[in-house]
Amino acid sequence: MASALKTRNALTRLLTAAAVLSGLVLSTAQAQAATPPLPEAPAATVALPVVDMEATVLAAQIDPRRPDSTLTPGAHDSVLAVEQALQARGLLDAKWVDGYFGTTTIAAYAAYQRSLGYSGLDANGLPGFSSLTALGQGRYTVTHQIGPGAKLQRDGYTVNTRTQAMLTEAERLLGFHLTLDQGSYNPGGDPTSAGTHDGGGVVDINVDGMTAGTRTSVALALRKVGFAAWVRNPTQGNWPWHIHAAAINDTDLATQAQNQTGDYYLGLNGLANHGADDGPRIAIQTWEEYQRTH
């Protein structure tokens, strides 16, 4: 009798334990069913290439003037991304997609600018921020944005904000005011200028009363802040003594002025004779490069 009682008690305990275990399993399953699944991790986004606008615009001035296919330092990857975007739009043949912003790429970029409805200086083949950004939609991002700024008056002539800032800094370095003989945005204003003043970024400085040493000092200060600047004399052309200065990387530069800034980087005088640079030699830099180091 005692043995049978022990057996029934053991069976009772076993059934109770099984019921408890079953409840735990059910509770766990219910809890899992009530818990929403964790969201899947988003797919990794692919970083777009970066186009350095400063380097790209600089290459667009220098590369077309080179006698060979030497690349502008620091510009290859940016120019390549721009050329690939032009190729994708059917504006540039694949053989020219090489990171070299030569005359063919200039023409293709100007065609793209015209396709956006731009004309005149806005379709000069020199990348501006708006066109460069539009071209890169979904293909690249733009860094180191540059632009000429608004137009204003100086000494009775038109210049842009960027040019004015550069002249002001050159005056600070020199310690005296510079007076203009000619400003920018002056198409046909002076036939002897050969169209260099048709766009932005270009000025002529009056040198009346300056000694030869002072003229050289002015050209040096202008070069330091980012101008391609030369002292011009009457033996070089039908003009009086003056200092001619073109702001490197001004995106409003007329084609003739673009050529001058490119020649300046190549050690030339910016004249039609392609003579050697006769001005004070310094490490060439743009206005933006100057600002970062001063």
Side-chain angles (χ1 to χ4, degrees):
M1 183 69 177
S3 176
L5 182 59
K6 288 181 181 180
T7 300
R8 283 198 301 270
N9 289 340
L11 181 59
T12 299
R13 287 194 296 269
L14 181 59
L15 291 174
T16 301
V20 171
L21 181 58
S22 175
L24 288 174
V25 171
L26 181 60
S27 297
T28 302
Q30 290 171 336
Q32 290 175 341
T35 303
L38 293 175
E40 294 184 5
T45 57
V46 178
L48 294 175
V50 173
V51 167
D52 183 324
M53 184 175 179
E54 288 182 30
T56 302
V57 172
L58 187 61
Q61 293 162 89
I62 304 173
D63 291 355
R65 307 299 290 173
R66 295 185 187 278
D68 53 29
S69 57
T70 300
L71 299 177
T72 295
H76 173 270
D77 291 351
S78 294
V79 172
L80 189 65
V82 170
E83 289 177 325
Q84 289 169 339
L86 290 170
Q87 180 192 10
R89 291 178 180 271
L91 297 171
L92 188 64
D93 191 271
K95 68 179 179 180
W96 303 112
V97 180
D98 53 8
Y100 179 84
F101 212 122
T103 55
T104 303
T105 302
I106 286 283
Y109 199 93
Y112 173 66
Q113 290 170 320
R114 291 193 298 271
S115 77
L116 296 176
Y118 297 146
S119 61
L121 291 175
D122 293 328
N124 60 2
L126 203 59
F129 181 70
S130 295
S131 62
L132 192 62
T133 301
L135 180 64
Q137 286 293 325
R139 302 190 66 92
Y140 59 73
T141 59
V142 180
T143 62
H144 293 130
Q145 175 186 351
I146 53 177
K151 296 177 183 178
L152 53 86
Q153 293 295 300
R154 177 189 170 102
D155 301 329
Y157 299 101
T158 302
V159 297
N160 61 47
T161 304
R162 183 175 183 267
T163 302
Q164 171 69 353
M166 294 169 68
L167 290 170
T168 299
E169 177 60 12
E171 290 173 329
R172 188 190 70 80
L173 296 176
L174 291 164
F176 57 83
H177 177 72
L178 298 175
T179 302
L180 301 188
D181 266 345
Q182 186 178 181
S184 308
Y185 306 103
N186 188 33
D190 183 351
T192 66
S193 296
T196 56
H197 290 260
D198 288 6
V202 182
V203 295
D204 286 344
I205 307 295
N206 185 297
V207 299
D208 291 348
M210 291 186 188
T211 65
T214 301
R215 292 194 295 260
T216 299
S217 295
V218 172
L220 178 62
L222 291 169
R223 288 186 172 199
K224 284 181 178 178
V225 302
F227 284 101
W230 299 272
V231 178
R232 300 301 197 207
N233 68 72
T235 68
Q236 296 171 317
N238 185 25
W239 50 63
W241 282 92
H242 67 282
I243 295 174
H244 178 75
I248 304 163
N249 264 17
D250 188 307
T251 55
D252 272 355
L253 288 173
T255 299
Q256 299 88 333
Q258 294 175 40
N259 294 343
Q260 284 188 322
T261 57
D263 285 352
Y264 173 56
Y265 269 88
L266 300 178
L268 302 176
N269 62 8
L271 294 173
N273 63 14
H274 300 306
D277 183 11
D278 57 2
R281 303 310 300 271
I282 63 167
I284 301 176
Q285 60 184 349
T286 67
W287 170 235
E288 288 74 25
E289 288 171 333
Y290 175 85
Q291 289 179 292
R292 287 194 286 270
T293 56
H294 290 78

